[in-house]
Amino acid sequence: MTAPLTLRARAAAPVKNVWHALTDATELRVWLADHAEVELPHRYEFWGRHVPEGDAPHQRLLDVGEHSLRFGWLLDGEETTTEITLTEESADSTIISLSQSHWSFQDVISGSARGVLQTYWSLAIANLVDHVEGRPLTPRTDFTSATLRTEVVIDASPEALFESLTDSAKASEWFGYPVGIEPFVGGRYAMGGFDNNPNPAKVLDLTPGKAMTVDWGPAGVVSWELEGSGGRTKLSFVQSGFDQPPYAAWTGWLSGLAELRRYHELADWRPIWLYDPTDNVPTEAHAES
């Protein structure tokens, strides 16, 4: 058994507001899942197309505390355990801690439904934070579709976004993980950095200030394009050319876009993610894809 996946994030909202968003079925249907039913301390269920194996509710509530809950979640024939705890950091700040059992990178490689857990929860927590802070949500993964395509509008110029998406230092800053980028056709794109990634992706196409396409091998080809209007920019993002939909990697990209939006739209930006040396990096599955 591998060590549990752990994620920690900060929300600029009172703990009571975050707890309400986490435990109210109507709220859950906004930021987490199409369908949700909650009756504490007996029931905590969510399902739908934005949930892995979301054809029906597969959660079993195990324990509820003042600001914590723990539930079993049957995925790919095995019951995993998820625990979420909220800690009041100040009157207007809450630390969200999540522990998830039964995740390993081998599950990502094999295509198991459990392989998406790391990036699934990273995106879910990012949307929970934005929801309680009153910000627009990032599009979620549709686990019933083989089309991996999305658009987000960011309050920034195309020039600023292009730099953030192609400059190694800036990309590493908002992505929260070392990224090495050579922004020219034939250049390397190395999650983990050039020194730590012996098999980097390859830049297939680049239009300065506008678009880039990167070949990730078995995970397919990732393309993005920028279109500015009125000081804002529409970012179109596509992943294609794969045999099986790489949901873990795609969901990792989406969680990254959530932080990219915050990076450009918040004057006092700081990452929502909190790490110590034993924490899992939310983008690790994506980095390895």
Side-chain angles (χ1 to χ4, degrees):
M1 180 68 66
T2 59
L5 162 71
T6 57
L7 301 173
R8 297 176 66 240
R10 174 185 288 113
V15 68
K16 67 176 183 179
N17 293 12
V18 183
W19 181 248
H20 177 67
L22 182 65
T23 57
D24 179 83
T26 301
E27 294 281 289
L28 286 172
R29 294 179 199 126
V30 174
W31 64 269
L32 182 63
D34 299 284
H35 310 288
E37 295 296 338
V38 178
E39 185 183 345
L40 301 182
H42 307 294
R43 187 182 187 191
Y44 189 85
E45 299 175 338
F46 52 91
W47 69 100
R49 62 194 177 97
H50 295 122
V51 177
E53 293 192 342
D55 57 307
H58 297 297
Q59 298 80 30
R60 181 171 64 92
L61 190 58
L62 302 174
D63 184 64
V64 179
E66 182 180 7
H67 289 130
S68 66
L69 56 86
R70 182 167 56 92
F71 56 88
W73 185 2
L74 185 66
L75 283 170
D76 201 12
E78 190 165 4
E79 185 171 84
T80 74
T81 303
T82 307
E83 184 167 2
I84 305 174
T85 301
L86 307 182
T87 304
E88 183 178 70
E89 186 179 41
S90 68
D92 296 310
S93 181
T94 300
I95 303 301
I96 305 165
S97 302
L98 181 140
S99 174
Q100 173 67 61
S101 73
H102 295 79
W103 181 88
S104 73
F105 188 63
Q106 184 57 44
D107 289 327
V108 180
I109 297 173
S110 69
S112 166
R114 296 188 301 274
V116 306
L117 284 169
Q118 185 185 45
T119 52
Y120 171 79
W121 281 123
S122 298
L123 177 58
I125 291 173
N127 271 335
L128 171 58
V129 170
D130 279 334
H131 178 59
V132 297
E133 292 183 0
R135 292 173 44 78
L137 304 186
T138 298
R140 294 169 289 179
T141 297
D142 183 347
F143 291 99
T144 68
S145 174
T147 300
L148 306 183
R149 180 188 302 269
T150 196
E151 294 179 351
V152 295
V153 176
I154 300 176
D155 191 9
S157 69
E159 294 80 11
L161 280 175
F162 185 83
E163 184 178 13
S164 293
L165 287 162
T166 59
D167 179 80
S168 297
K170 286 188 176 293
S172 299
E173 186 177 15
W174 63 262
F175 210 78
Y177 190 78
V179 183
I181 305 172
E182 294 176 335
F184 52 81
V185 174
R188 295 173 295 169
Y189 196 120
M191 300 303 294
F194 296 129
D195 295 335
N196 299 315
N197 189 335
N199 298 300
K202 181 180 179 180
V203 178
L204 295 182
D205 193 24
L206 182 75
T207 303
K210 179 74 172 179
M212 186 163 73
T213 299
V214 180
D215 184 358
W216 292 87
V221 174
V222 169
S223 301
W224 53 259
E225 184 174 357
L226 306 174
E227 182 181 346
S229 178
R232 308 179 78 198
T233 301
K234 181 175 71 174
L235 170 60
S236 301
F237 209 90
V238 180
Q239 189 159 354
S240 60
F242 42 77
D243 293 330
Q244 296 292 330
Y247 291 126
W250 176 246
T251 310
W253 279 116
L254 295 180
S255 65
L257 292 182
E259 198 63 32
L260 176 65
R261 289 173 53 240
R262 297 175 64 87
Y263 181 74
H264 281 277
E265 294 182 349
L266 298 180
D268 57 348
W269 174 83
R270 60 177 175 175
I272 66 169
W273 302 107
L274 306 170
Y275 303 119
D276 63 46
T278 63
D279 281 335
N280 301 90
V281 179
T283 54
E284 179 179 310
H286 176 205
E288 298 282 354
S289 298

